[in-house]
Amino acid sequence: MARRSVPILKHFISSSLDQSLSASCSRFASCRSVTYMPRPGDGAPRAVTLIPGDGIGPLVTGAVEQVMGAMHAPVYFERYEVHGDMNKVPQDVIDSIKKNKVCLKGGLATPMGGGVSSLNMQLRKELDLYASLVNCFNLPGLPTRHENVDIVVIRENTEGEYSGLEHDVVPGVVESLKVRSMSFLCKIISQSQQISIYQLHRSEGTQFQF
């Protein structure tokens, strides 16, 4: 399915998106300056690590680059070619992410079998990305099936099901170990508490800083 969608996405990005951005820029050119995004801090452009990745990753990240260019956003990309069939993430990529603090990353293919570690997992562990935060909430003016939704899902990213400890017990029977460490549990619990307190203050209209 992903391969069949690539030509469609290429056509969409090269035609519809370009035309839409061009029309939008022309329409607002007379009433807005060329810089649509306020420049933070001293106004200097900020570096962002860019990993296009595999599959539709380059198409998705390419679309983001087009949007940023149309907005004249004060960012520039440090591009690195990383692919799922590599043995490990190059150290210069890790250094770039740690330096820039921001990374735009496309999906990296995960090898099937053979005991090969996923580069996605390597990045999570190297950068200590132990939790995935997903905030689900309703947007004003956008009708949905459910109303007044405002929840935060905190998912473990490096341990538990991601431990990667699996083996065949007997033919046709696979055992998978779900391992958690005390330090990991403490970090997840602390993260959950902070998010809960923040959500409470936000619902009451008060400010809270971590």
Side-chain angles (χ1 to χ4, degrees):
M1 181 178 295
R3 291 181 178 178
R4 292 199 300 269
S5 65
V6 168
I8 299 175
L9 288 172
K10 283 184 177 179
H11 175 73
F12 172 77
I13 291 175
S14 62
S15 58
S16 301
L17 184 58
D18 286 341
Q19 293 174 5
S20 299
L21 290 175
S22 178
S24 298
C25 291
S26 299
R27 185 167 63 252
F28 292 108
S30 59
C31 59
R32 302 197 64 173
S33 64
V34 295
T35 302
Y36 304 144
M37 179 183 291
R39 294 180 180 272
D42 57 4
R46 298 300 193 261
V48 175
T49 305
L50 172 62
I51 304 176
D54 301 311
I56 65 171
L59 296 175
V60 176
T61 56
V64 175
E65 288 185 275
Q66 290 186 44
V67 172
M68 290 296 183
M71 295 173 62
H72 297 277
V75 299
Y76 64 92
F77 294 99
E78 295 180 356
R79 186 186 186 95
Y80 292 91
E81 292 298 332
V82 181
H83 301 284
D85 56 358
M86 293 181 173
N87 292 328
K88 65 177 183 178
V89 179
Q91 186 59 44
D92 57 341
V93 178
I94 300 294
D95 294 339
S96 174
I97 297 175
K98 290 182 177 180
K99 172 177 66 73
N100 297 331
K101 309 298 183 184
V102 180
C103 176
L104 175 61
K105 171 184 165 294
L108 296 175
T110 300
M112 301 298 292
V116 181
S117 176
S118 165
L119 295 191
N120 297 300
M121 185 58 58
Q122 288 185 28
L123 280 172
R124 293 177 189 176
K125 292 184 176 181
E126 181 70 28
L127 301 171
D128 196 25
L129 304 177
Y130 58 88
S132 172
L133 304 181
V134 179
N135 190 190
C136 304
F137 56 91
N138 293 104
L139 294 175
L142 183 62
T144 58
R145 175 179 296 182
H146 304 287
E147 298 180 354
N148 301 320
V149 175
D150 189 3
I151 61 175
V152 176
V153 179
I154 303 176
R155 189 194 71 179
E156 58 187 18
N157 251 3
T158 55
E159 293 192 357
E161 289 83 358
Y162 292 104
S163 300
L165 301 176
E166 301 176 349
H167 63 276
D168 292 326
V169 180
V170 295
V173 179
V174 177
E175 183 178 48
S176 177
L177 301 181
K178 182 177 179 180
V179 179
R180 287 194 179 97
S181 63
M182 180 60 70
S183 60
F184 170 82
L185 287 175
C186 290
K187 288 193 293 186
I188 286 290
I189 293 172
S190 175
Q191 185 79 20
S192 302
Q193 290 175 335
Q194 291 182 3
I195 292 297
S196 299
I197 295 173
Y198 170 77
Q199 289 291 94
L200 177 62
H201 280 266
R202 189 166 69 89
S203 64
E204 295 178 348
T206 57
Q207 293 185 350
F208 172 77
Q209 293 183 347
F210 295 123

